[in-house]
Amino acid sequence: MAELLTSAQMRAIEHAEIESGCVTGLQLMERAGRGAVEATLSKWPKFSSGYHRALIVCGPGNNGGDGFVIARRLKDRGWDVDVFLYGTADKLPPDAKTNHDLWSNMGQVMAFDPAAVWDCERPDLFVDAVFGTGLTRPLPPDLGVVLEDRMMTHWKHGQSICRLAVDCPSGLNLDTGMIPAPEDDRMPILNSAQLTVAFHSLKTGHKLGLGPTLCGEIQVVDIGLRGADASERAMVGTPPDPERARLAAPVFSSGALPLRIWPGSVVTKLRGQGHKYDYGHVVVCAGGPGRGGAARMAARTALRSGAGLVTVLCPPDALTENACRLDAVMLRACTDAEAFRRTIDDRVTALCLGPGLGVGRDTQELVIAALAHRRGDRGWRDPAVVLDADALTSFEDDPEALFAMTHPRTVMTPHEGEFARLFPDLAQSERAERSKIDVVRMAADRAGCIVLLKGEDTVIARPGGGASVHSANGDRAAPWLATAGAGDVLAGLIAGLTAPETAPDLFCVAEAAAWLHCEAARQFGPGLIAEDLPEMLPKVFLTLER
């Protein structure tokens, strides 16, 4: 599934399924444990035969119950298994207690003690089945010293021990993707896995913050939840569900989507013929002399992404500089907001302001004019307005003035610093137990428009709760995107994709732009600089026709 569920949403789905009588909690636990073993054998085929040892640490809740099932299934395959219980058997939930007793008929359950753990023979597989969804407090120190990665060195050649986590590595807040900090001055304990098994669906913390790094490879195990609430609600490329976040990726329900379906359907020029004005006119505002590079990159990206026409507006003394660097992109002089209003006609379908524009009152006036521009007789909807960089920072002293003017056809694309200037109470340092998805949703409601907060875990939200995450991690990692100008390219990409009159929902455009932006970086590879991104788009678009 492409949905990213919170811990509460997952619990509600399981509760509804059990209450309906379609399944019992014991059956779900059995399926989870079996699925975890199958995922382990898939990840490490060497474990399918021969002699192996496992060490499993089970927790005091249902996550521990999954661990007992894993122990039984590995024992059935001829493994030697050491099992420790962090907690007491008489306080286990009923289903976990049942599986504790079933394992007790096959092997010993040892009381958790770090020294006893390290006295065991070196395992081939270390299983963390202690705390899964719902943990919001720091790991207890005695547990942390066993689960912390470097503690594997207590065994000779400990670095080669394979590490499996059930739900998530214990200590990770699976709603926020962060590790709760201890109240004293101790450093948080870093517990990671090479393989994490998630059940039914990914959770938000698997794709936010430290989640992708700590979880390693994530395999989603189907445990047979089939009720109405268990179904995926909104396919990527369609308006989002207001309650559930989703992954901005070409997947839906049980499998991958062909790239021609998504994101291919968002790139209007891939699906039809038309006049250049059918594909829209993008206007990008540029700064003064020596500051035009960012706007030029945004403009070139807008043209590469399929806009029919792109014009750069700049101060008269920057005309020569920009004329030396632009050919297919048109160029017009623009002295101030009044000149901007006279220049923009009713065939302009998207506006991009911010890259290299400069911070101050002049930029504020241009933003005000852009947000006030409406469709004319030749347009059927208002132009999209993409606000980035300086267009946002210019309102840091009075963000409410900006929010009073934005509209549903507006997209803000801040990085964390710009986000903190507009929404200081939602900044990283102020989030506490709120996730990045939570705060971007709040920001979108407050601003009355789409907000795209950039990062390796880019979050996109629109007013009313619809949210999406693009994760540039794992096999989607694109570290070379951390380069000056990459955000300017993304702003131009959103403007270019949304410019055609038949472009889809603006939120869906923003999702696709985030994916395409990352894909261009991935296909280019090491050494990428921002200027390379627009030139990679044709190659990326070719892959979308399959």
Side-chain angles (χ1 to χ4, degrees):
M1 293 178 67
E3 285 185 334
L4 301 173
L5 301 178
T6 64
S7 300
Q9 288 169 336
M10 186 65 208
R11 286 193 296 270
I13 290 171
E14 289 179 329
H15 181 74
E17 198 89 349
I18 292 169
E19 287 294 303
S20 72
C22 295
V23 71
T24 66
L26 204 58
Q27 288 172 319
L28 292 179
M29 194 171 287
E30 184 72 23
R31 294 170 188 173
R34 288 174 181 264
V37 171
E38 291 171 3
T40 300
L41 300 180
S42 173
K43 168 71 173 176
W44 295 293
K46 64 183 180 181
F47 289 154
S48 296
S49 61
Y51 169 79
H52 302 289
R53 293 191 66 88
L55 193 156
I56 304 174
V57 184
C58 296
N62 285 329
N63 198 255
D66 298 337
F68 292 122
V69 177
I70 293 170
R72 287 178 19 236
R73 294 307 157 201
L74 290 177
K75 186 74 170 179
D76 288 342
R77 299 185 65 88
W79 287 49
D80 281 339
V81 184
D82 293 314
V83 177
F84 289 85
L85 173 60
Y86 188 82
T88 57
D90 58 355
K91 292 184 178 180
L92 286 168
D95 296 330
K97 180 63 165 62
T98 297
N99 276 301
H100 166 277
D101 295 345
L102 289 172
W103 165 252
S104 295
N105 293 329
M106 302 174 68
Q108 182 182 3
V109 178
M110 293 176 277
F112 179 84
D113 176 70
V117 171
W118 294 324
D119 280 342
C120 291
E121 290 188 43
R122 176 193 174 279
D124 301 297
L125 177 68
F126 184 95
V127 180
D128 170 5
V130 187
F131 296 118
T133 59
L135 185 71
T136 59
R137 65 183 186 276
L139 283 178
D142 61 337
L143 180 61
V145 297
V146 170
L147 296 183
E148 193 173 9
D149 296 357
R150 62 189 177 92
M151 292 304 149
M152 293 297 102
T153 58
H154 277 272
W155 290 284
K156 187 177 181 181
H157 309 302
Q159 294 300 323
S160 61
I161 296 173
C162 299
R163 293 173 64 93
L164 167 69
V166 179
D167 280 333
C168 66
S170 294
L172 178 70
N173 183 319
L174 207 42
D175 285 335
T176 66
M178 303 306 290
I179 299 174
E183 293 183 0
D184 54 26
D185 293 332
R186 288 181 297 114
M187 290 291 292
I189 295 167
L190 289 180
N191 169 31
S192 68
Q194 294 156 289
L195 173 66
T196 295
V197 287
F199 302 117
H200 178 65
S201 174
L202 291 168
K203 312 307 179 298
T204 54
H206 287 134
K207 293 298 181 181
L208 295 178
L210 295 172
T213 299
L214 298 183
C215 290
E217 178 184 332
I218 303 172
Q219 290 193 33
V220 179
V221 171
D222 182 2
I223 55 174
L225 297 172
R226 297 290 182 265
D229 287 341
S231 300
E232 197 159 359
R233 294 181 176 179
M235 187 176 78
V236 65
T238 65
D241 182 84
E243 297 178 351
R244 295 183 184 179
R246 69 186 180 198
L247 198 60
V251 291
F252 180 70
S253 189
S254 59
L257 290 171
L259 294 183
R260 69 177 184 277
I261 302 298
W262 193 91
S265 61
V266 179
V267 185
T268 305
K269 267 190 178 173
L270 292 179
R271 52 185 171 87
Q273 297 179 338
H275 187 271
K276 62 186 178 184
Y277 281 107
D278 294 331
Y279 295 108
H281 183 183
V282 175
V283 168
V284 180
C285 291
R291 297 206 308 263
R296 290 194 296 268
M297 285 191 291
R300 188 167 182 83
T301 305
L303 197 60
R304 281 288 192 198
S305 60
L309 307 89
V310 178
T311 298
V312 168
L313 302 184
C314 69
D317 55 355
L319 280 171
T320 300
E321 171 192 323
N322 285 311
C324 291
R325 302 294 302 276
L326 298 174
D327 292 312
V329 174
M330 298 180 291
L331 185 63
R332 296 280 298 273
C334 181
T335 55
D336 53 26
E338 186 54 42
F340 175 90
R341 294 184 183 92
R342 292 195 303 268
T343 302
I344 304 302
D345 64 25
D346 61 1
R347 290 189 292 187
V348 171
T349 54
L351 297 153
C352 178
L353 294 88
L357 195 53
V359 176
R361 184 59 190 172
D362 290 343
T363 294
Q364 286 184 346
E365 293 293 341
L366 285 172
V367 171
I368 292 169
L371 290 172
H373 186 65
R374 293 293 181 266
R375 66 179 177 87
D377 294 337
R378 289 177 286 188
W380 70 274
R381 62 183 177 187
D382 291 334
V385 181
V386 182
L387 300 179
D388 185 43
D390 295 345
L392 302 174
T393 301
S394 291
F395 286 89
E396 65 178 324
D397 293 332
D398 190 9
E400 294 299 328
L402 175 62
F403 304 157
M405 296 180 292
T406 52
H407 51 74
R409 294 281 292 161
T410 307
V411 184
M412 296 181 181
T413 59
H415 55 54
E416 285 284 4
E418 293 155 353
F419 186 84
R421 293 175 197 132
L422 294 180
F423 308 97
D425 59 315
L426 304 180
Q428 281 181 303
S429 60
E430 304 297 324
R431 286 173 194 169
E433 294 184 6
R434 294 176 298 196
S435 74
K436 189 173 180 179
I437 294 172
D438 293 333
V439 298
V440 179
R441 278 174 163 155
M442 294 169 69
D445 282 339
R446 190 180 302 176
C449 67
I450 295 169
V451 177
L452 182 153
L453 179 52
K454 294 178 285 198
E456 287 185 341
D457 53 353
T458 293
V459 175
I460 309 159
R462 71 177 189 179
S468 183
V469 178
H470 177 266
S471 178
N473 286 285
D475 59 1
R476 294 284 299 165
W480 290 90
L481 264 181
T483 184
D488 307 318
V489 171
L490 178 60
L493 183 55
I494 296 171
L497 290 175
T498 199
E501 291 284 359
T502 57
D505 178 88
L506 186 54
F507 180 91
C508 298
V509 167
E511 283 182 301
W515 190 92
L516 292 165
H517 186 245
C518 179
E519 187 65 16
R522 291 181 64 248
Q523 292 198 22
F524 186 92
L528 172 86
I529 59 176
E531 291 97 315
D532 300 319
L533 290 166
E535 311 317 310
M536 284 303 299
L537 287 174
K539 181 178 178 181
V540 173
F541 290 156
L542 280 174
T543 68
L544 307 185
E545 295 179 339
R546 295 198 292 267

